[in-house]
Amino acid sequence: MEALRLLPGRARDFSSAGYWERFFRERGGRAFEWYGEWQDLRASLGRYLRPRDSILVAGCGNSELSEQLYDEGYQDIINVDISEVVIKQMQERNAHLRPKMTYMVMDVLQMDFPDERFQVVLDKGTLDALLTDEEETTLSRAERMFAEISRVLQFGGRYLCVTLAQAHVSKMAIEYFSREGWMVRIHQVSGDKAGTSEGEFALPIFVYVMTKIRHVPGSALCILELCAEAQDKPIRFKSTDHLIEAVKERQHYSLLRSQINKNPSSGTVSLDLCSKDTGRARYTLHVVHNLTVKVPFDNKFAIFIVPQGRETEWLFGTDEGRKQLATCAGFWRLVTVALHRDQHYEGMEAIQAELSEKVMELAPPGLPAQQQVPFLSVGGDIGIRTIQHRGTSPLSGEYVIEDVKGEGAHYFRRLIFLSNRNVVQSEARLSFRGSHKGNKKHKRKKKTASINSAEPTAVPAGQSIDKTYLCCAHHRAMIAGLCLLRNPEHLPASSFYDAIMFDVDSKDSALGMSCPPPAFVEKSFLQKVRTLLKKEGLFILNLVCRDTQLRDAVLATLRETFPLLYVRRIEGEVNEILFCQQQAKCKLPPAELRDTAQILEKALRQPGQAWDTTYVLADALEAVKLV
């Protein structure tokens, strides 16, 4: 709490000598570590320090970092600070214990050292204290500091800056030193949070490593690199903007991790992991918590790989579904991983190797480092996705038609609009040459032949659309609604219709209703629909509306046109199927509904086809609500 009391009222006061005099006078001789101690920074800083290096610590304060470096053999150290109070304190503290250590009162904007005096300039928090905003005077002071550091460093020397890397700080530092032709490398310090001796920040700590290279006039060579946590091999970037953006992404990721651990009940957290080669999304991660059932400590954390093509299913594609998955799997924190189309995956083991390091950053606090974290999936495979066609629609934009392996070893063909890639626009089950029994027999033989047999990596050839099966629950409900007709087996061609069905997608994502477009439920349009129906005819509408007021308005308009209105809600979906009729005498009791369901079953059968009518009967016998 004392540190909070000593903080300035304005950020710009961090660059004031008067503020630091008061801070260290009131703080006394007790050390204050802004961004961690040597043990926290060793992995990032240690590789750029040599015992024989001449080191300048710019803005040393009363940190113990210099003392810890000295005790480890780095004894050619000069410390400077603008505060006379703290320099006197540090001189008294180290006069006998570290006789070779030097402390001097000096302004880093105008230092008294000769040119090329040091191999290393070490800065822990000084740049952040100086560069508090983007005002012209502040930027000018930071540029003077950089110029002085450049002057006193030898060629091949390193400016090591420990920083929170706020956006304006990163922009200023990275652009300045890259423009001067220096090599720029940024390390993210390992650990969950940046810390002080009084508490912790949610933001991560970074170390800028700016290496002074002799500038070659006209040379376009610029080395820009980032080393994320626990990464030995740096990632290289083509521009300063890309590097600055990568630092921002690491900061957002750390804030997300902090949010997950501080408040696991806040809901599902989602993020994309992108390909290093293309920059395109490769994995989508959803972090969910099982807060309803107590689980053993060993079941704190697991990863679930969603098979390709099944990411749109309720269990994997909705918050409620993923929570149920976590509960059924028996883990407190579950990370579900969806695989993106247009990405190549070798198999489960390759995915596990690729993701292990990254997903472990999402592990709950206190999880032992040596604990094995299970990777789960459906049937142990990653699924199959084969893109059959790509195109662009003038109304819907880019789309793909893809074949995927679904539940129960069935294959499906799907239409996906890439503007809403998590929604299946249309779907059909596939059938293959030869009988189903033959296929099952073949699969059994393959399974018993070798327990390690690889799963197929592509949809088998020779597929055709299975016209005996409707994939979508709302389509099954719409067909089942034909039971409300008196004689569904007789649909004579005439100027009037027994049934009219609407299942029309809206392209306006700003509306609270994605099906149908508003024009299709305007009163004048509905009246035209009514004139096309027989008196006992049926108008069936798929309604997808999340706006409750808009939904009520649609139902009211429908009632004005059709006196009899049934609603059939689809479990687990937003869809509602509305059955509209003009005459109330068409209302059927349950017994008659069952009779018409049997008639409908016969009507749907076609010669030579084995129509799967189980779902028709099930939906037809479901109670519908009269509204």
Side-chain angles (χ1 to χ4, degrees):
M1 294 303 294
E2 179 192 8
L4 293 177
R5 182 176 59 81
L6 292 175
L7 289 177
R10 302 176 303 171
R12 68 180 62 178
D13 290 341
F14 276 119
S15 59
S16 164
Y19 164 73
W20 290 111
E21 289 289 310
R22 181 178 67 84
F23 180 92
F24 290 117
R25 187 178 294 111
E26 296 188 23
R27 176 76 182 178
R30 289 174 294 118
F32 188 89
E33 301 295 345
W34 283 98
Y35 298 153
E37 301 181 355
W38 169 241
Q39 62 184 7
D40 306 311
L41 304 171
R42 183 197 304 270
S44 300
L45 291 177
R47 66 181 75 184
Y48 302 104
L49 295 171
R50 297 167 297 186
R52 65 178 183 273
D53 282 339
S54 178
I55 301 172
L56 170 65
V57 178
C60 62
N62 63 6
S63 167
E64 295 178 347
L65 178 61
S66 297
E67 297 163 327
Q68 294 163 346
L69 286 171
Y70 187 98
D71 294 344
E72 290 213 7
Y74 305 95
Q75 296 189 352
D76 187 359
I77 301 177
I78 295 178
N79 302 273
V80 300
D81 199 282
I82 200 171
S83 169
E84 294 183 12
V85 172
V86 79
I87 290 297
K88 184 178 180 180
Q89 291 174 351
M90 298 304 285
Q91 287 173 338
E92 293 174 353
R93 197 164 86 187
N94 289 283
H96 301 293
L97 293 175
R98 301 170 182 89
K100 295 181 182 180
M101 184 93 81
T102 302
Y103 287 90
M104 304 173 65
V105 177
M106 196 175 295
D107 187 346
V108 295
L109 306 186
Q110 188 176 0
M111 294 186 283
D112 298 331
F113 302 112
D115 295 353
E116 301 182 23
R117 167 67 175 80
F118 300 97
Q119 280 94 29
V120 175
V121 174
L122 179 56
D123 162 5
K124 185 158 78 82
T126 301
L127 177 61
D128 287 2
L130 184 73
L131 191 50
T132 55
D133 54 50
E134 295 182 85
E135 293 186 6
E136 187 175 343
T137 55
T138 305
L139 297 177
S140 176
R141 287 167 60 84
E143 194 160 313
R144 287 168 57 194
M145 175 181 170
F146 292 157
E148 278 293 273
I149 290 171
S150 177
R151 183 183 66 80
V152 302
L153 264 180
Q154 301 175 6
F155 285 102
R158 286 85 62 202
Y159 170 41
L160 308 179
C161 176
V162 184
T163 171
L164 287 180
Q166 297 178 77
H168 66 283
V169 176
S170 285
K171 180 177 174 62
M172 178 71 182
I174 293 171
E175 290 184 351
Y176 179 91
F177 288 105
S178 64
R179 189 168 58 244
E180 293 296 311
W182 292 35
M183 176 180 173
V184 177
R185 178 179 288 175
I186 300 178
H187 285 266
Q188 182 179 351
V189 176
S190 296
D192 291 334
K193 300 180 182 68
T196 71
S197 54
E198 307 293 332
E200 293 176 330
F201 303 119
L203 290 172
I205 304 172
F206 293 88
V207 175
Y208 297 154
V209 182
M210 312 296 193
T211 304
K212 185 177 179 180
I213 300 174
R214 198 174 298 276
H215 184 60
V216 179
S219 173
L221 179 64
C222 183
I223 300 175
L224 305 166
E225 297 178 336
L226 173 66
C227 293
E229 292 179 89
Q231 279 188 341
D232 291 328
K233 187 176 180 181
I235 303 169
R236 186 162 292 188
F237 295 85
K238 294 181 179 179
S239 71
T240 56
D241 287 344
H242 290 161
L243 178 56
I244 292 169
E245 187 60 32
V247 171
K248 288 182 183 177
E249 289 175 358
R250 296 301 306 179
Q251 290 170 325
H252 292 161
Y253 183 51
S254 293
L255 286 171
L256 180 146
R257 290 163 56 191
S258 176
Q259 173 191 340
I260 293 171
N261 292 328
K262 284 184 177 179
N263 189 12
S265 62
S266 60
T268 300
V269 174
S270 305
L271 66 151
D272 287 337
L273 299 183
C274 298
S275 166
K276 292 186 294 185
D277 299 324
T278 66
R280 300 180 65 180
R282 181 165 170 81
Y283 300 100
T284 294
L285 276 56
H286 299 279
V287 184
V288 294
H289 292 90
N290 168 20
L291 302 175
T292 57
V293 180
K294 189 173 182 180
V295 299
F297 183 80
D298 289 345
N299 284 15
K300 277 286 186 181
F301 186 52
I303 317 299
F304 191 99
I305 307 299
V306 179
Q308 296 178 90
R310 300 190 62 182
E311 63 276 357
T312 59
E313 295 180 17
W314 180 84
L315 190 63
F316 310 123
T318 66
D319 286 350
E320 288 303 314
R322 288 187 286 264
K323 288 177 183 177
Q324 181 174 311
L325 180 65
T327 302
C328 294
F331 289 89
W332 181 73
R333 176 177 293 174
L334 186 70
V335 178
T336 67
V337 181
L339 314 181
H340 280 243
R341 58 180 58 84
D342 295 323
Q343 296 285 334
H344 176 69
Y345 305 96
E346 291 290 343
M348 183 64 75
E349 290 185 3
I351 290 174
Q352 183 172 347
E354 183 179 356
L355 286 178
S356 288
E357 180 181 297
K358 184 60 58 181
V359 295
M360 283 307 296
E361 295 177 0
L362 299 172
L367 191 75
Q370 69 277 10
Q371 182 168 326
Q372 290 287 336
V373 175
F375 274 70
L376 313 173
S377 188
V378 178
D381 64 48
I382 64 171
I384 297 172
R385 189 201 313 267
T386 303
I387 294 179
Q388 299 291 1
H389 179 73
R390 298 176 181 273
T392 303
S393 162
L395 294 177
S396 304
E398 291 184 276
Y399 66 87
V400 296
I401 297 174
E402 61 186 21
D403 293 348
V404 301
K405 181 183 178 183
E407 191 174 5
H410 290 294
Y411 293 89
F412 297 87
R413 179 160 296 171
R414 292 173 174 170
L415 168 64
I416 308 287
F417 291 135
L418 296 184
S419 59
N420 196 2
R421 61 185 66 239
N422 292 323
V423 173
V424 176
Q425 189 67 29
S426 184
E427 183 178 32
R429 192 167 73 180
L430 298 175
S431 61
F432 301 91
R433 295 189 185 98
S435 67
H436 293 295
K437 291 182 179 179
N439 288 341
K440 290 181 180 178
K441 184 176 180 181
H442 174 72
K443 289 180 181 177
R444 282 198 298 269
K445 285 184 177 179
K446 183 176 180 180
K447 185 174 182 180
T448 55
S450 172
I451 194 169
N452 295 318
S453 294
E455 290 288 331
T457 57
V459 176
Q463 71 273 16
S464 61
I465 301 300
D466 182 355
K467 298 178 181 178
T468 70
Y469 184 81
L470 291 175
C471 296
C472 299
H474 69 276
H475 286 162
R476 299 198 288 270
M478 293 175 79
I479 294 297
L482 296 177
C483 293
L484 294 171
L485 295 172
R486 284 289 184 180
N487 297 299
E489 73 272 33
H490 299 298
L491 301 176
S494 68
S495 57
F496 298 102
Y497 297 89
D498 290 277
I500 295 177
M501 297 182 180
F502 281 180
D503 184 12
V504 187
D505 182 40
S506 173
K507 303 303 177 189
D508 190 348
S509 58
L511 294 174
M513 182 169 65
S514 58
C515 179
F520 282 74
V521 286
E522 291 179 357
K523 186 173 182 179
S524 59
F525 187 80
L526 293 173
Q527 287 173 339
K528 291 179 181 179
V529 172
R530 187 181 64 184
T531 61
L532 295 174
L533 284 169
K534 294 180 179 181
K535 289 184 178 180
E536 297 181 4
L538 182 65
F539 172 48
I540 304 176
L541 172 69
N542 179 25
L543 177 66
V544 182
C545 187
R546 291 177 169 82
D547 186 326
T548 54
Q549 290 185 341
L550 181 57
R551 175 186 178 275
D552 291 343
V554 170
L555 293 180
T557 304
L558 283 165
R559 286 193 202 97
E560 291 177 10
T561 310
F562 298 96
L564 189 62
L565 177 61
Y566 294 101
V567 175
R568 171 72 164 86
R569 292 184 175 84
I570 307 302
E571 184 179 357
E573 299 181 18
V574 186
N575 302 65
E576 296 178 285
I577 306 304
L578 308 181
F579 305 102
C580 313
Q581 289 182 303
Q582 299 181 56
Q583 296 191 359
K585 69 178 184 180
C586 294
K587 182 181 177 182
L588 300 177
E592 192 167 351
L593 236 168
R594 284 194 292 272
D595 293 338
T596 53
Q598 294 172 1
I599 296 172
L600 180 64
E601 177 185 353
K602 295 176 182 177
L604 290 174
R605 288 186 180 274
Q606 297 181 21
Q609 286 192 336
W611 189 281
D612 184 351
T613 56
T614 305
Y615 59 85
V616 176
L617 289 171
D619 271 323
L621 296 176
E622 283 279 354
V624 291
K625 182 180 180 183
L626 180 63
V627 296

